[in-house]
Amino acid sequence: MIGKKIKLPKWAKSIPIVLLLLGSDFCQSQTKKLDSLLLQINQHQKRDTVRVKLIIDYALNAANDNTTKLLPYLNEAVNISKEKKYLRGLQTSYLHLQIYYSDRGDVEKAKVYGDTALHYLKNDASKLAMTNLAWLHNNRAGDYAKLGDYQQAINNLIKAATIFERYDPKSLAATYGNIALMYSYLLLPERAMEYDKKAIAAAEKTGDILNITRRNLGYTSRLIDAKKYSEAEQVLDKIEPFVMKLDNSSTYIFFYQSRGLVSKGRNRYDEAVSYLKKAYGYTLKNDDKLTQTVILDPLADVLQKAGRQAEAKQYLDTLLAKSLTYKIRDGELNAYSQLADWYGQKKDYRTANTFLLKRLSLSDSLSSEETKEKISMMEARFKVQGKDKEIKILQDEKKIQQLSLRQKSTLNYILAGGALVLIVFALLSYRNYRHRQKLQQQRITELETEKQLAATEAVLKGEEQERSRLAKDLHDGLGGMLSGIKLSLNTMKGNLIMTSENADAFEMSIGMLDNTIKEMRRVAHNMMPEMLVKYGLDTALKELCAEISRSTGLKANYQSLDMDKVNVEQSIAIAIYRIVQELSGNAIKHSEAKNLLVQIHALPDEKQLAITVEDDGKGFDPQQLETTTGMGWMNIRNRIDFLKGKLDIHSAPGGGTSVLLEINY
């Protein structure tokens, strides 16, 4: 049905949203006769799993007939399953008990049995158990909907849908449709239509025409509520062939009703009359009194808008008569409103006022009833939410123990309580003492660590200062002297007359001097690279890899990501450069690798740098590093400790080496 957007009628909120579908035997069991199933149960008197299965088979059919004979059999199935430790029997028995009490409106008991069913289902990963778990969530959603707690209903339906996606995709459409219905009750039409579309997509995957039609009709109702009449009409045009093929009275009712409401919304009143009359005719055929009153209201309205006042009056009288006979209060309210309008148009204001007063009186009465109902629902919801999640059913032994404890003397309680207080006090005192000791030791350790880090920082800073001084002395002092010697020799070369042998020796000397100058500059650069000081860490590492590729047989590749987004302090940059330089040097000296990869990835949000140095060399056993005394490895560890970074080494003989550094900048 299409409810009003602002306030849903009570009958709409009572529409059941759950469908009992447990296991793979559902369709077959529906065809069996209840008396035949009862006969089989009575013939098999042995208390075993066979009898439990017969009872469950009976429950699958009897639940839909709302029989009162079912309860004793379900309780018996529980007892037998406990005796035989039959897990499947416990699961399905408690599941049917939840459904039994839910059908009778006892949401509180349904909640207790639902919790128990969940207890037995949650650790069973079989397909049947998972499917039953999904239907348990689906059925519990119905209980929350009865209490008006639509958000909890949605939470349970989403849990059901998550399981159905994996274990029973054919049931997804109905579950998504139920979620859409809940969102419509919460007056969230966009969310409702989102799940309507999911329901339609899931139904189309099944190829079930009836399922596809129902889901589209649900979507149409949401579009009409949102006054999106053009879109609703497109959907109805699309499913019309399916509706005709199904030839089903209930489907015809909803289809023609939707057609009529769309035509009404688009001001095509004569067309709306035609469609709503068809829908009304099928409600008469089905003897559906509630739906008759729902359709008579818009039918009379469009007849008045079409100027067919006499015909509208006939249908309004019918609406009022049916509403009074069957105590359908919403229909009665609508009849009074429209009759007041009808007599008002006839300028019979006295009669119009009479109907308005009747409507006002009924509205006040319904508001009072609705308030009482809401209070009752809130009380029921409070009781359900206050239920303990633990399984508390049939705990006779625990009750006996509690009765026995109550017979203990008051003196024993006092003595036991006093002893307990002393023990607790002693334990707390000891725990407090141990805790203070741990805090003191932790503080001492922190101070020692801070002292070690400060010492390491001083050493590293001193080392870098000394490197910088030596690099400057080599470059400016010794470098300048060697360049002067080279210039003097080149000047002398033009003024000397030498034999060919001496000329060759002279040229060789100048060449050796050139190599010496280059080597001196390389050493000075390694001690304090100009690129790092002038252009930063990214450029310096790139140049380091380029220099390795030029001067060694190792092909060094450099990759960086998001380094342009960060600003690394120079002291940290120098330490990182030295670490990468040392790791690259180890690869050149020891790994016999052909390729070297240096990667640096900046993570601005985490204020962190991730650095990888990886080669394809011969590898080694990382445990050897625990006993190594090499200065290179010690320098690496000291710098990482100074930076408070993390180091992860992956290597194996013949498998290359990969070193990952994580450093906060």
Side-chain angles (χ1 to χ4, degrees):
M1 298 299 106
I2 306 300
K4 296 180 182 178
K5 188 172 182 181
I6 300 304
K7 180 182 176 184
L8 289 167
K10 294 180 182 178
W11 63 264
K13 294 184 180 180
S14 66
I15 294 175
I17 70 161
V18 295
L19 171 66
L20 175 61
L21 183 60
L22 305 171
S24 59
D25 298 328
F26 176 75
C27 294
Q28 295 175 2
S29 64
Q30 284 293 88
T31 62
K32 297 181 180 179
K33 301 294 184 181
L34 290 179
D35 53 357
S36 174
L37 290 168
L38 278 174
L39 181 61
Q40 291 181 50
I41 294 171
N42 293 331
Q43 287 176 345
H44 189 92
Q45 291 296 320
K46 187 177 180 181
R47 292 172 62 83
D48 56 10
T49 58
V50 174
R51 183 170 175 82
V52 173
K53 290 176 181 177
L54 289 171
I55 292 172
I56 298 304
D57 198 17
Y58 173 63
L60 280 166
N61 293 269
N64 296 317
D65 287 341
N66 210 26
T67 179
T68 56
K69 299 178 183 178
L70 183 58
L71 185 58
Y73 287 108
L74 287 176
N75 288 330
E76 183 186 358
V78 168
N79 292 332
I80 296 173
S81 298
K82 283 185 175 181
E83 291 171 9
K84 302 299 180 182
K85 296 182 180 179
Y86 180 35
L87 179 61
R88 187 75 69 219
L90 288 169
Q91 292 171 347
T92 51
S93 299
Y94 282 119
L95 200 52
H96 280 288
L97 282 165
Q98 185 271 333
I99 295 165
Y100 178 88
Y101 285 106
S102 179
D103 285 346
R104 284 152 183 79
D106 193 341
V107 179
E108 196 172 334
K109 280 190 177 179
K111 172 71 166 54
V112 173
Y113 284 107
D115 286 345
T116 310
L118 180 63
H119 170 77
Y120 288 109
L121 283 166
K122 63 184 179 181
N123 294 321
D124 189 343
S126 67
K127 181 179 179 180
L128 180 59
M130 295 304 296
T131 305
N132 285 345
L133 178 60
W135 284 112
L136 173 62
H137 286 306
N138 195 73
N139 294 343
R140 286 164 72 114
D143 290 337
Y144 282 112
K146 290 172 186 174
L147 295 174
D149 192 346
Y150 301 120
Q151 189 56 59
Q152 278 292 349
I154 289 170
N155 293 341
N156 276 273
L157 288 168
I158 289 174
K159 288 178 182 178
T162 302
I163 300 172
F164 282 142
E165 282 177 0
R166 180 175 179 184
Y167 294 98
D168 188 13
K170 291 183 179 179
S171 301
L172 268 176
T175 307
Y176 285 147
N178 288 338
I179 296 174
L181 188 63
M182 294 300 101
Y183 276 119
S184 71
Y185 291 167
L186 288 170
L187 301 182
L188 296 171
E190 296 300 325
R191 291 289 286 162
M193 285 189 276
E194 176 188 335
Y195 276 94
D196 276 323
K197 290 174 183 177
K198 286 186 176 183
I200 292 169
E204 287 175 348
K205 286 183 181 180
T206 67
D208 184 343
I209 294 176
L210 179 59
N211 201 7
I212 295 170
T213 305
R214 285 176 175 171
R215 303 287 77 79
N216 277 281
L217 285 171
Y219 181 41
T220 304
S221 70
R222 248 70 73 190
L223 290 171
I224 293 172
D225 283 345
K227 297 184 179 179
K228 297 182 179 181
Y229 301 116
S230 178
E231 292 180 45
E233 193 164 32
Q234 290 174 13
V235 176
L236 292 170
D237 288 341
K238 182 184 76 172
I239 65 171
E240 185 169 9
F242 294 160
V243 174
M244 299 303 123
K245 187 174 181 180
L246 287 168
D247 192 21
N248 176 276
S249 296
S250 298
T251 307
Y252 281 144
I253 291 170
F254 295 125
F255 177 74
Y256 286 121
Q257 180 194 16
S258 299
R259 282 283 197 200
L261 292 173
V262 168
S263 298
K264 177 187 175 186
R266 307 193 77 173
N267 300 325
R268 304 197 300 252
Y269 300 123
D270 288 330
E271 186 179 89
V273 169
S274 175
Y275 284 130
L276 290 171
K277 280 186 175 181
K278 284 185 179 181
Y280 181 62
Y282 282 108
T283 63
L284 294 174
K285 185 177 180 180
N286 279 9
D287 196 27
D288 187 346
K289 304 294 190 305
L290 177 62
T291 312
Q292 288 168 21
T293 61
V294 171
I295 294 174
L296 282 168
D297 177 38
L299 175 55
D301 185 37
V302 292
L303 281 167
Q304 289 200 69
K305 287 181 169 62
R308 297 156 67 172
Q309 302 297 330
E311 198 175 352
K313 180 63 165 58
Q314 293 176 2
Y315 282 107
L316 285 174
D317 290 341
T318 305
L319 172 60
L320 181 57
K322 287 180 179 288
S323 299
L324 290 170
T325 302
Y326 301 110
K327 296 182 180 180
I328 302 172
R329 299 307 183 193
D330 288 304
E332 191 178 344
L333 279 173
N334 293 332
Y336 289 147
S337 295
Q338 287 211 55
L339 283 166
D341 290 341
W342 192 91
Y343 281 104
Q345 290 179 24
K346 295 291 184 181
K347 302 189 184 304
D348 185 352
Y349 300 117
R350 178 174 294 178
T351 307
N353 188 56
T354 300
F355 282 112
L356 283 176
L357 290 174
K358 287 185 177 182
R359 188 193 187 288
L360 182 61
S361 175
L362 178 60
S363 179
D364 290 341
S365 175
L366 291 178
S367 295
S368 177
E369 290 179 11
E370 188 175 350
T371 301
K372 291 178 181 178
E373 185 179 337
K374 284 182 179 178
I375 293 171
S376 177
M377 287 171 60
M378 288 176 64
E379 289 176 349
R381 191 188 304 178
F382 177 78
K383 288 180 181 178
V384 169
Q385 290 175 345
K387 288 293 178 184
D388 190 3
K389 297 295 182 183
E390 298 291 328
I391 307 303
K392 296 181 179 179
I393 300 172
L394 303 176
Q395 294 180 323
D396 295 334
E397 292 182 1
K398 185 174 181 179
K399 290 180 181 178
I400 293 172
Q401 291 175 359
Q402 290 174 344
L403 290 172
S404 177
L405 287 173
R406 288 172 187 169
Q407 295 173 356
K408 297 290 184 180
S409 65
T410 304
L411 180 59
N412 286 340
Y413 277 118
I414 294 172
L415 291 174
L420 182 62
V421 168
L422 289 174
I423 292 170
V424 170
F425 179 76
L427 287 173
L428 288 174
S429 299
Y430 178 74
R431 181 184 175 188
N432 189 36
Y433 170 73
R434 293 291 298 169
H435 184 63
R436 287 202 305 271
Q437 277 193 326
K438 286 181 180 179
L439 287 176
Q440 290 174 353
Q441 185 60 42
Q442 183 178 351
R443 181 58 182 160
I444 291 169
T445 304
E446 288 176 356
L447 290 172
E448 289 177 349
T449 303
E450 289 176 3
K451 183 178 178 181
Q452 290 174 359
L453 288 175
T456 301
E457 181 179 3
V459 170
L460 291 175
K461 284 184 177 179
E463 182 181 321
E464 292 301 331
Q465 290 173 356
E466 185 63 17
R467 281 176 177 267
S468 180
R469 186 187 66 77
L470 287 174
K472 186 175 181 182
D473 289 347
L474 284 173
H475 189 273
D476 297 341
L478 183 58
M481 293 173 63
L482 290 174
S483 296
I485 293 170
K486 178 182 175 182
L487 180 62
S488 298
L489 289 175
N490 282 329
T491 303
M492 291 171 60
K493 178 181 175 182
N495 298 325
L496 293 175
I497 299 174
M498 295 178 286
T499 64
S500 59
E501 290 83 359
N502 289 336
D504 291 340
F506 195 85
E507 289 291 342
M508 185 180 296
S509 298
I510 291 176
M512 291 174 64
L513 186 58
D514 278 335
N515 291 336
T516 301
I517 292 171
K518 289 179 182 178
E519 181 64 18
M520 181 274 300
R521 287 177 177 170
R522 187 187 67 79
V523 171
H525 175 78
N526 286 338
M527 295 186 75
M528 181 52 67
E530 294 181 11
M531 287 288 184
L532 181 63
V533 177
K534 290 182 178 180
Y535 304 109
L537 179 61
D538 189 27
T539 304
L541 290 177
K542 185 177 181 180
E543 178 60 27
L544 174 64
C545 291
E547 177 62 26
I548 291 172
S549 296
R550 285 194 298 268
S551 60
T552 69
L554 189 63
K555 183 179 179 182
N557 294 315
Y558 177 70
Q559 298 174 358
S560 67
L561 182 62
D562 292 337
M563 286 297 291
D564 57 332
K565 298 179 182 178
V566 299
N567 185 19
V568 183
E569 186 183 336
Q570 186 171 344
S571 62
I572 296 175
I574 291 171
I576 293 172
Y577 182 87
R578 294 300 180 203
I579 293 170
V580 175
Q581 189 179 41
E582 191 70 45
L583 291 171
S584 302
N586 288 341
I588 295 168
K589 295 175 188 175
H590 308 299
S591 72
E592 300 178 9
K594 295 181 180 179
N595 296 284
L596 177 70
L597 175 64
V598 177
Q599 290 179 325
I600 183 165
H601 181 192
L603 305 170
D605 293 339
E606 289 82 2
K607 302 292 184 184
Q608 193 176 76
L609 296 176
I611 305 150
T612 302
V613 180
E614 187 176 299
D615 65 63
D616 59 355
K618 63 182 182 180
F620 66 98
D621 183 359
Q623 291 186 351
Q624 295 176 359
L625 296 175
E626 296 179 4
T627 57
T628 185
T629 58
M631 288 299 297
W633 175 243
M634 294 298 295
N635 287 337
I636 291 172
R637 290 299 316 178
N638 287 338
R639 286 188 170 89
I640 290 172
D641 291 341
F642 165 65
L643 297 172
K644 297 181 181 179
K646 295 180 182 178
L647 174 68
D648 191 13
I649 299 175
H650 294 280
S651 184
T657 302
S658 178
V659 181
L660 174 63
L661 305 171
E662 291 182 359
I663 294 171
N664 296 321
Y665 65 86

